[in-house]
Amino acid sequence: MISLHQKEKMIKKIHRHWIVIFGKAMAALIMLIFPVAGLIYLSGVDLRYDFVMPLAVYAAALFGFLLAILAFIGWVDYWLDIWIITDERIIDIEQVGLFRHELSEFGLDKVQDVTVEVPGFLATFLRYGKLIIHTAGERSFEVTDLPNPHAVKDLILKCARECRERNHANGIV
């Protein structure tokens, strides 16, 4: 669980664009067609051996089970990848598989530049893209498949400006 600093306020919580999970769901549904088509084909064929159809049903069920596990892992990865923008910092939580995650954070006062990349027609039409934040440190932070990247960029720059003004007024350099 992420704990906020005292008097820190969460401004926005951002997940990846819905097209990411939609693409994974469509891939799973397309892969599900193969065992169903195989079972339909085998049901119309006169089989010499009685064990072929139960074995095919078992294989199709196993394939469906494995596909459901992969779909669940895709959902977990989608749902737990999150960016949290507060009035002091940005917290990047990236889920890697089921049991591993990476957590990065940086202060808004360290933001120097924000770049938006929209990769093509579909991304332009559905309004998603890549956001790269360059900080005063050596590392840049990026998030892909971000919904409304231009609005997020404007929000980050506004919050960074307010954070620097607040720090300057409080005498923090």
Side-chain angles (χ1 to χ4, degrees):
M1 182 75 181
I2 300 299
S3 60
L4 300 179
H5 299 148
Q6 188 176 2
K7 295 184 182 180
E8 184 178 21
K9 295 179 193 120
M10 185 185 320
I11 296 172
K12 190 163 182 90
K13 192 178 349 178
I14 306 167
H15 291 278
R16 295 192 191 278
H17 195 272
W18 61 265
I19 195 71
V20 173
I21 195 68
F22 181 77
K24 290 178 182 181
M26 287 297 106
L29 286 176
I30 289 170
M31 289 177 67
L32 196 59
I33 290 172
F34 294 113
V36 170
L39 289 176
I40 291 172
Y41 172 75
L42 286 177
S43 68
V45 174
D46 185 26
L47 300 172
R48 290 185 180 176
Y49 303 105
D50 291 338
F51 67 89
V52 174
M53 194 60 179
L55 186 63
V57 169
Y58 176 76
L62 183 63
F63 184 80
F65 179 68
L66 293 175
L67 198 58
I69 289 173
L70 290 175
F72 176 73
I73 291 171
W75 171 255
V76 167
D77 183 42
Y78 168 79
W79 188 249
L80 295 180
D81 278 352
I82 190 167
W83 263 40
I84 300 171
I85 302 172
T86 71
D87 60 345
E88 293 179 14
R89 60 193 169 140
I90 295 177
I91 305 165
D92 176 20
I93 306 168
E94 185 166 345
Q95 188 71 25
V96 183
L98 280 179
F99 302 109
R100 183 173 160 239
H101 69 274
E102 296 174 1
L103 186 125
S104 303
E105 67 177 69
F106 56 93
L108 284 171
D109 56 339
K110 304 283 191 268
V111 172
Q112 291 183 333
D113 184 41
V114 181
T115 305
V116 172
E117 293 178 9
V118 179
F121 173 75
L122 186 63
T124 302
F125 182 70
L126 295 176
R127 296 181 14 195
Y128 69 93
K130 180 179 186 180
L131 192 73
I132 305 167
I133 299 178
H134 304 281
T135 62
E138 299 168 4
R139 186 173 176 204
S140 63
F141 293 85
E142 62 182 59
V143 62
T144 56
D145 303 321
L146 184 73
N148 300 318
H150 294 287
V152 174
K153 174 194 73 118
D154 294 341
L155 176 65
I156 289 171
L157 290 175
K158 176 182 168 247
C159 291
R161 184 179 61 251
E162 290 172 357
C163 183
R164 283 191 290 272
E165 289 171 358
R166 193 171 47 251
N167 288 347
H168 184 68
N170 292 336
I172 302 171
V173 179

